[in-house]
Amino acid sequence: MYKFIANLVKVILKLTGSKARVYEEQNLPKEGGFIIACTHTGYVDILNLGVSMSPREIHFMAKKQLFDIKGLGWLIERLNAFPVDRDNPGPSVIKIPSQLLKEGKIVGIFPSGTRNAEGSDLKQGAITIAQLSKSPIVPAAYVGARNVGDVFKRGKGYLIYGEPFYVTGKGKEGREEFTHRLEHDLVALTEELEKRIATEKK
């Protein structure tokens, strides 16, 4: 089902002109499990991220409330999303993605690009999973079409991948150090992407 939906979404995004232009794809590991931590502005970034990595599949971490939304819940479930209770996180927050990574799969986490409380928690969550699973984490930034309205207005999308890194720090101090690194990388990638978009439009 994932491949069918991914191909369908790819066609729709291409026809509407919203399929993301992707930069620095060479930074994506060719094999094995890894975490992709991408900035998040709407639902189209999720679709473009999935399309850009096809035929490899991403297993998305998503807040459990999204699964209750009619239509959206059905879609993200078939896009390999797994629910996480951010208000009352349990062992599954670490256990499920760690198992997926062990199986050589890709785990997608969408921490906010800003320094709000939820974004910081999600960044540290991504770092914790990377630390415990000893898996690489790839920072990514998306700019462009955010929702269905933007897509049908032919809003373009742009996606850039940063260099993967391992969380080599130990314990809490290591997590804090690499959470700051991830925050820095996401901001830097967003700025770099905006520069490239501006240059392209000249």
Side-chain angles (χ1 to χ4, degrees):
M1 179 65 81
Y2 183 103
K3 286 183 172 60
F4 171 77
I5 292 177
N7 287 330
L8 178 62
V9 168
K10 184 177 182 179
V11 170
I12 293 171
L13 292 175
K14 198 168 183 178
L15 288 174
T16 58
S18 294
K19 182 174 176 290
R21 177 166 182 174
V22 183
Y23 299 95
E24 310 301 336
E25 279 183 285
Q26 74 276 6
N27 285 327
L28 292 172
K30 298 294 186 293
E31 57 186 23
F34 64 92
I35 299 162
I36 183 83
C38 186
T39 58
H40 186 41
T41 57
Y43 298 118
V44 179
D45 47 22
I46 300 174
L47 302 178
N48 265 313
L49 193 67
V51 165
S52 74
M53 289 198 186
S54 183
R56 293 199 72 182
E57 300 182 8
I58 306 176
H59 295 258
F60 296 99
M61 179 183 284
K63 59 183 179 181
K64 69 172 188 176
Q65 291 89 340
L66 295 177
F67 289 82
D68 297 328
I69 301 174
K70 191 174 181 180
L72 178 63
W74 179 90
L75 177 62
I76 62 175
E77 189 175 337
R78 281 152 185 79
L79 289 174
N80 292 342
F82 57 94
V84 172
D85 187 342
R86 294 181 187 170
D87 297 322
N88 299 290
S92 63
V93 173
I94 303 297
K95 187 177 180 180
I96 294 174
S98 294
Q99 181 60 37
L100 290 168
L101 291 163
K102 186 178 180 181
E103 294 170 2
K105 296 174 180 175
I106 302 169
V107 172
I109 299 176
F110 295 93
S112 170
T114 60
R115 292 175 180 270
N116 60 38
E118 184 180 70
S120 294
D121 288 344
L122 286 172
K123 291 186 191 80
Q124 189 156 68
I127 294 299
T128 301
I129 294 165
Q131 184 187 53
L132 295 175
S133 66
K134 296 179 173 57
S135 300
I137 183 165
V138 178
Y142 174 87
V143 172
R146 300 182 180 189
N147 50 44
V148 174
D150 290 342
V151 169
F152 286 104
K153 290 176 184 175
R154 304 188 67 81
K156 292 185 178 180
Y158 301 86
L159 184 62
I160 187 170
Y161 293 112
E163 294 184 6
F165 64 87
Y166 286 87
V167 178
T168 54
K170 305 295 183 183
K172 183 180 178 182
E173 287 186 2
R175 288 193 294 275
E176 289 178 351
E177 175 190 349
F178 281 87
T179 297
H180 290 314
R181 171 171 177 173
L182 178 57
E183 288 177 341
H184 174 272
D185 285 359
L186 292 176
V187 171
L189 284 168
T190 301
E191 290 174 350
E192 173 63 21
L193 186 55
E194 287 172 344
K195 287 178 184 176
R196 296 197 186 198
I197 295 169
T199 300
E200 184 181 288
K201 289 180 177 178
K202 286 183 179 178

